Amino acid sequence: MTVNLAALAYLIAGVLFILALRGLSSPETSRRGNVFGMIGMALAVAVTLYLAGIRDALTWGLIIVAVGIGGGIGAVIARRIPMTAMPQLVAAFHSLVGMAAVLVAASALYTPEAYGIGTVGSIRVASLVEMSLGVAIGAITFTGSVVAFTKLQGLVSGAPVVFPGQHPLNALLGIVMVALIVWLCATESHTAFWALTILAFAIGVLIIIPIGGADMPVVISMLNSYSGWAAAGIGFTLENTALIITGALVGSSGAILSYIMCKGMNRSFFSVILGGFGGEVSAAAGAQAETRPVKQGSAEDAAFIMKNAGSVIIVPGYGMAVAQAQHALREMVDALKEHGVRIKYAIHPVAGRMPGHMNVLLAEADVPYDEVFELEDINSEFSQTDVAFVIGANDVTNPAAKTDPSSPIYGMPVLDVEKSRTVLFVKRSLASGYAGIENELFFRDNTMMLFADAKKMVEDIVKAI
């Protein structure tokens, strides 16, 4: 294979990656997008291994064993991981990308001849710059993703961790990091390299710990972007076109998605990048829940109300994912349709714990795509709707986001379910949502609380219908 053919193969792989991203933009085309991505990656890996000019059997054996182990672990995880754990799985995988960037940068620093970037003591300045950026972003991605994983998995509290002088400290560490990069590029100092790496590990922790649970979906998207830029930086060091293209695509798409989500949550994009929001949640998260009376109903009550309604809008959330209630929900919808009830689904941009979480779950249950609407497309319809059926959603339906300036979610666009004639709210208890605040909707006159496991409640509603 000539260099020109290799470049053409990398170009084809790049096009396949773009088609993969395009396919993943919709549940309807996501399978095809995954296939394009797998073919593109297989092609890129094959070309890279060929260009490496590996001749000895031992090296090939080690590569095959490594691919087998990694692929085997990935296959087992993909089969066993529940959809509810997908956000923390994504965070864990991001951490691996970050650590890979750190290890490759260290390898390039100690054996530059193997990468064609010079010799020890005389590495090209451009390569040192690329290496510095790759290791800095990679280290931040690693520790930041680990912190996000522990919060999402419940290993540590999801509440923000804040302390006086936090932002000035982050700014100071950022300035020191720039100085270390300059030192490394000017002297090729190994001390500067490892100091930069350790500092970046610390910054990764510091920019994620002040972010509260309600903003975790944005964190996942942001770390996805970071992992892409880390890969792109190392791609320049290795002079690997496929890695540069892949990293740039992941980095830019993650950044765009983060921007869209920030806009949807009324957050500052630059604050997200700098870890500068989330601290305001701490006070509210620790507040005591009120013990006001609520209107409580049964499955039979909900069945009667919805069966006699003209229209129902279903609002799914993380509670539906935990209970794996999407298939039972589809059964309920089919039963309601037989009674002439019009059904639509309303999806908040950050429902669940990562973008598209609810869309994927509904797609699993074969919910028609034309019945699923995003917030901006359906919010105006709640005021003309007979019933809003909220199943497991909490923060994304909280009216406090519009009325309470002291609320940590104030300003975040929410679904206007309270405008419906009747709100049926399926929840295990009156406990607060992931943002750690009480939902005022529970106590409204037009809200009926259905306390139960989401799947069990929906199944009982189906029987009652």
Side-chain angles (χ1 to χ4, degrees):
M1 181 184 296
T2 66
V3 175
N4 288 337
L5 285 177
L8 179 60
Y10 278 146
L11 177 61
I12 294 173
V15 172
L16 288 170
F17 294 146
I18 294 172
L19 293 175
L21 286 176
R22 179 67 183 87
L24 292 172
S25 64
S26 166
E28 193 171 6
T29 58
S30 59
R31 290 181 183 273
R32 185 166 66 244
N34 270 314
V35 171
F36 283 142
M38 289 186 288
I39 294 173
M41 185 54 66
L43 178 61
V45 170
V47 174
T48 301
L49 290 175
Y50 181 87
L51 292 178
I54 301 170
R55 296 289 182 265
D56 60 292
L58 176 60
T59 303
W60 275 112
L62 291 173
I63 291 173
I64 292 171
V65 169
V67 171
I69 293 173
I73 293 173
V76 170
I77 291 176
R79 284 186 169 274
R80 293 185 178 180
I81 198 75
M83 272 303 302
T84 51
M86 196 59 67
Q88 48 264 50
L89 175 67
V90 172
F93 281 173
H94 288 162
S95 73
L96 298 180
V97 176
M99 181 53 74
V102 172
L103 295 177
V104 171
S107 176
L109 178 68
Y110 283 90
T111 57
E113 299 90 349
Y115 298 90
I117 58 175
T119 58
V120 176
S122 59
I123 298 176
R124 296 197 300 265
V125 175
S127 297
L128 287 170
V129 173
E130 296 154 3
M131 189 189 307
S132 302
L133 294 175
V135 73
I137 300 173
I140 291 172
T141 302
F142 174 74
T143 50
S145 298
V146 169
V147 172
F149 170 81
T150 57
K151 285 194 173 191
L152 291 167
Q153 188 65 18
L155 301 178
V156 300
S157 172
V161 178
V162 295
F163 54 85
Q166 192 167 34
H167 296 314
L169 174 61
N170 288 346
L172 176 62
L173 293 179
I175 293 171
V176 174
M177 178 182 287
V178 173
L180 288 172
I181 291 175
V182 173
W183 179 16
L184 174 60
C185 295
T187 65
E188 200 178 314
S189 168
H190 289 196
T191 301
F193 177 87
W194 290 114
L196 173 63
T197 303
I198 294 171
L199 184 60
F201 280 143
I203 291 176
V205 174
L206 290 172
I207 65 172
I208 300 301
I209 57 172
I211 299 177
D215 298 313
M216 267 301 145
V218 187
V219 174
I220 297 297
S221 176
M222 177 184 70
L223 291 171
N224 177 56
S225 179
Y226 285 177
S227 67
W229 296 124
I234 294 303
F236 280 106
T237 301
L238 302 180
E239 297 182 348
N240 186 288
T241 307
L243 195 54
I244 295 170
I245 293 173
T246 307
L249 285 173
V250 173
S252 57
S253 60
I256 293 169
L257 179 59
S258 297
Y259 175 78
I260 292 172
M261 293 177 68
C262 287
K263 187 177 179 181
M265 296 176 69
N266 196 32
R267 303 295 192 187
S268 165
F269 179 66
F270 291 104
S271 292
V272 176
I273 296 174
L274 300 175
F277 68 90
E280 70 279 7
V281 182
S282 56
Q288 294 293 322
E290 293 184 43
T291 56
R292 289 182 283 168
V294 297
K295 186 188 299 181
Q296 185 173 343
S298 65
E300 290 73 19
D301 296 328
F304 178 81
I305 292 171
M306 287 193 288
K307 188 168 62 174
N308 291 282
S311 59
V312 173
I313 296 180
I314 296 172
V315 181
Y318 187 67
M320 184 192 77
V322 172
Q324 287 290 290
Q326 62 269 28
H327 297 284
L329 183 65
R330 173 63 193 273
E331 284 185 55
M332 185 190 82
V333 167
D334 289 342
L336 290 173
K337 287 180 178 178
E338 291 179 6
H339 287 80
V341 182
R342 299 186 303 278
I343 303 291
K344 290 184 179 181
Y345 296 81
I347 307 295
H348 192 277
V350 293
R353 290 191 179 177
M354 66 183 296
H357 202 171
M358 295 301 105
N359 301 76
V360 173
L361 288 173
L362 295 178
E364 275 188 357
D366 294 323
V367 171
Y369 300 117
D370 58 0
E371 294 180 3
V372 181
F373 296 87
E374 299 297 328
L375 177 146
E376 63 271 15
D377 297 322
I378 200 170
N379 234 9
S380 61
E381 296 187 27
F382 281 104
S383 57
Q384 289 88 42
T385 298
D386 294 320
V387 178
F389 185 79
V390 184
I391 176 169
N394 197 331
D395 299 323
V396 299
T397 63
N398 195 335
K402 298 177 287 186
T403 60
D404 184 5
S406 66
S407 172
I409 62 171
Y410 182 69
M412 182 179 86
V414 293
L415 292 162
D416 296 331
V417 296
E418 76 279 3
K419 295 181 179 180
S420 304
R421 293 181 179 86
T422 301
V423 178
L424 299 176
F425 209 118
V426 182
K427 205 171 184 295
R428 288 179 179 271
S429 68
L430 290 176
S432 61
Y434 202 50
I437 56 174
E438 191 173 61
N439 192 340
E440 181 65 28
L441 184 61
F442 299 162
F443 311 101
R444 295 290 179 94
D445 292 336
N446 63 331
T447 299
M448 177 181 288
M449 299 300 298
L450 306 172
F451 293 117
D453 171 81
K455 184 177 181 180
K456 179 69 167 56
M457 174 57 71
V458 174
E459 289 174 343
D460 289 345
I461 291 174
V462 173
K463 293 175 185 176
I465 295 176

